[in-house]
Amino acid sequence: AGAGAGAGAGASGEKPGALSRCCSACSKSVKKMDIKKILWIMRISNLMNVVLFGCAAASGFLSWEGSIVQLFLACYVCFFAFLLCAFELRTNLWSKYFEKLFGFMYSFWGRALFLCFIGSLCLALGHWVTWLVGILTVINACFNCFLICQHPGFKAMGGEQQPSADPGKLDIPAVAAYLKAHPTVAAQAVSNTTFEDRPQPNAPAAPSRSSNSSTTA
C-alpha cells in the first residue's frame, strides 16, 4: 500500500510536457506585450493572408473548367480579400462605409470568424493551392483567437475596436466616453500633464511685447 501511495504521489508530481510548457511560455509572453504591438501583429498577419487569398482566387480562375460554382467562389474570395485589405489599411475613404455596412469587422471575434469563413471558401475551390491557403487561413484565425483570449487588453476594450485608430480623429464625445470607460488611462493622462501645461485661473496675464518695449523706451 505504501509503495502504491508513493507511486501515485510520484505520478501526480510529474513535470508538464514540452507542449504544455511551450503553450504556457507563449501565453506569458503574449500577456506581457503591449496591446498596440499585438494589434500590429494581427494586422500584418491578416494582410499576409490577403495575399494568400489573391493566390487562391487566381488559382480558382486559372483552373476553371466551366463550373459556375467555382467561378462564384473565386469571385467571393476576391471580394472578401479586398474587404479585409481595405479594413486593415484603415483608409479614411472607407472607414465610414465599413462602420455602417460591415460593423462586425470592428469586433475581434467577428474578424476571426470572418477569416474562418473565407478559409472555408478556399477549401471549397478544390485545388491544392486553395486547400493550402484555406488551411493557413484557419491557422491564422486560430492565432487571432489565441491572442484575443490571452491578452487582457482585449477584455478592457470590450471585444471591439474603435473605427478610427488615430485618437486625433476622434470627436470630443468619443474621447469623453473612452476616458469614462478607462479611468486608468484618464488618470495616467492627468499625471503626465506638467504643472506649466495646466491652466492657472488665478495667474496674472503675461505682459505683451508692446508694453515691454514702451517701458524700455
Side-chain angles (χ1 to χ4, degrees):
S12 61
E14 290 181 355
K15 295 182 178 180
L19 181 60
S20 61
R21 290 198 303 269
C22 181
C23 293
S24 178
C26 291
S27 176
K28 291 180 180 178
S29 62
V30 167
K31 290 178 181 179
K32 293 179 181 179
M33 294 176 65
D34 186 18
I35 185 63
K36 294 181 179 180
K37 187 175 182 180
I38 294 291
L39 293 175
W40 179 254
I41 292 174
M42 293 175 65
R43 179 181 295 184
I44 294 299
S45 64
N46 291 339
L47 288 176
M48 293 174 63
N49 216 151
V50 169
V51 178
L52 294 177
F53 290 151
C55 296
S59 177
F61 286 126
L62 293 176
S63 61
W64 184 54
E65 298 178 352
S67 175
I68 302 298
V69 175
Q70 183 180 0
L71 181 62
F72 271 99
L73 287 176
C75 292
Y76 274 126
V77 171
C78 280
F79 172 73
F80 291 141
F82 170 76
L83 190 67
L84 183 61
C85 180
F87 175 79
E88 293 294 349
L89 291 178
R90 302 290 196 277
T91 57
N92 296 328
L93 179 63
W94 302 100
S95 60
K96 57 181 180 180
Y97 297 106
F98 273 103
E99 188 178 358
K100 293 180 180 179
L101 302 177
F102 307 103
F104 67 92
M105 296 291 288
Y106 291 99
S107 171
F108 300 111
W109 289 111
R111 231 169 25 246
L113 293 176
F114 182 63
L115 288 173
C116 290
F117 174 70
I118 308 178
S120 65
L121 295 181
C122 294
L123 293 173
L125 282 172
H127 193 267
W128 70 269
V129 176
T130 61
W131 289 345
L132 180 61
V133 172
I135 293 172
L136 293 177
T137 302
V138 173
I139 293 175
N140 183 33
C142 293
F143 175 68
N144 279 259
C145 292
F146 175 76
L147 295 179
I148 295 170
C149 291
Q150 294 300 321
H151 200 282
F154 293 101
K155 295 181 181 179
M157 290 183 178
E160 296 183 356
Q161 190 173 1
Q162 293 292 334
S164 176
D166 186 4
K169 298 177 182 178
L170 296 177
D171 53 3
I172 294 179
V175 174
Y178 180 82
L179 293 178
K180 184 177 180 181
H182 302 80
T184 55
V185 178
Q188 185 178 4
V190 172
S191 62
N192 291 336
T193 304
T194 60
F195 182 78
E196 290 79 5
D197 295 335
R198 300 177 184 178
Q200 304 296 327
N202 298 326
S208 60
R209 294 184 177 179
S210 59
S211 60
N212 291 336
S213 59
S214 61
T215 304
T216 304

